[in-house]
Amino acid sequence: WVILVDRGYLNAPNAKGKGTQIGSVFYCPSGNVDQFPPSLTNSTVVPADRMDQRGAMANRGTSPVTGIQVDCWYGMNASDGSDTMKGAPCHRIEVEPRDKYMKLNYVKKASDMVMLFDGLIYHHAQVNASRINARHGRQKQTNLAFFDGHAVTYNTADLPGGLNPPQGQAKTTFGAANLKNYPPPAPMWLLEQQY
């Protein structure tokens, strides 16, 4: 989200030195207006389940290029580049060069592949399946946005891991073997599901 603002593709208020910035395209009106303090560790930001309000909080990102800070309420179907994240359609890029950016045509089934989800923006749900947040429909529904630009509201219980994914099993929840239990028209999460 910071790259989109840095490059001028989207506008968002610079949150640097300010409270949570809700006047932004990255704000979810059903989200929690609190944000994660920078002092929290990974163990304290991990939502306990998909209804946990920590998964509905804003996460502030800082551009290493311009220093702009942007608050965001959405998670991205992406990896951090480690081996534990194989198959995710996007990869985290800390800084330049632009030649590492993924081309959108890399995703063959854009209307079926999840790009963004209601939840904690820290990488893919393979790290913690509870990063997908049930913040709509009385905490029973989740919005997903796809690579072709459309968005759909899903019953969270129908997504991999359901409403309360088992702690410590995120890699298996979003592993290729388990995702076979969610055939089309269920949304795709990994590139290998396209073939």
Side-chain angles (χ1 to χ4, degrees):
W1 69 101
V2 172
I3 291 171
L4 293 172
V5 174
D6 269 353
R7 299 281 171 254
Y9 296 114
L10 292 172
N11 292 320
N14 188 347
K16 192 169 190 170
K18 302 175 188 169
T20 309
Q21 298 297 295
I22 62 172
S24 169
V25 68
F26 302 108
Y27 168 63
C28 175
S30 295
N32 183 334
V33 295
D34 295 331
Q35 72 169 308
F36 287 114
S39 61
L40 290 178
T41 64
N42 276 343
S43 62
T44 55
V45 299
V46 172
D49 57 41
R50 291 187 171 163
M51 294 165 284
D52 188 333
Q53 283 298 298
R54 289 178 290 182
M57 287 181 175
N59 191 3
R60 181 166 289 177
T62 303
S63 167
V65 177
T66 64
I68 191 172
Q69 293 184 340
V70 180
D71 294 334
C72 187
W73 281 259
Y74 301 101
M76 186 164 196
N77 187 10
S79 82
D80 62 1
S82 70
D83 287 342
T84 61
M85 309 291 272
K86 287 182 180 175
C90 296
H91 303 281
R92 182 177 184 174
I93 297 173
E94 291 289 341
V95 291
E96 300 292 341
R98 288 189 193 184
D99 64 342
K100 290 189 177 184
Y101 293 175
M102 183 198 82
K103 305 248 186 289
L104 282 178
N105 64 4
Y106 189 61
V107 176
K108 306 276 188 253
K109 296 186 177 181
S111 63
D112 297 328
M113 183 68 67
V114 175
M115 179 188 245
L116 302 169
F117 53 86
D118 285 328
L120 191 56
I121 183 108
Y122 189 71
H123 305 316
H124 190 277
Q126 285 175 313
V127 172
N128 169 19
S130 291
R131 287 185 174 160
I132 295 174
N133 192 250
R135 62 177 72 149
H136 302 284
R138 299 181 186 203
Q139 291 192 297
K140 293 184 180 178
Q141 296 177 324
T142 301
N143 290 334
L144 304 179
F146 294 81
F147 275 88
D148 70 347
H150 84 281
V152 177
T153 300
Y154 282 86
N155 289 322
T156 310
D158 295 338
L159 298 175
L163 278 173
N164 194 5
Q167 288 295 313
Q169 295 184 22
K171 290 176 191 168
T172 55
T173 299
F174 282 91
N178 185 55
L179 290 175
K180 289 179 182 174
N181 296 324
Y182 298 89
M188 287 191 247
W189 295 88
L190 300 176
L191 292 172
E192 61 200 76
Q193 291 180 276
Q194 300 182 108
Y195 305 103

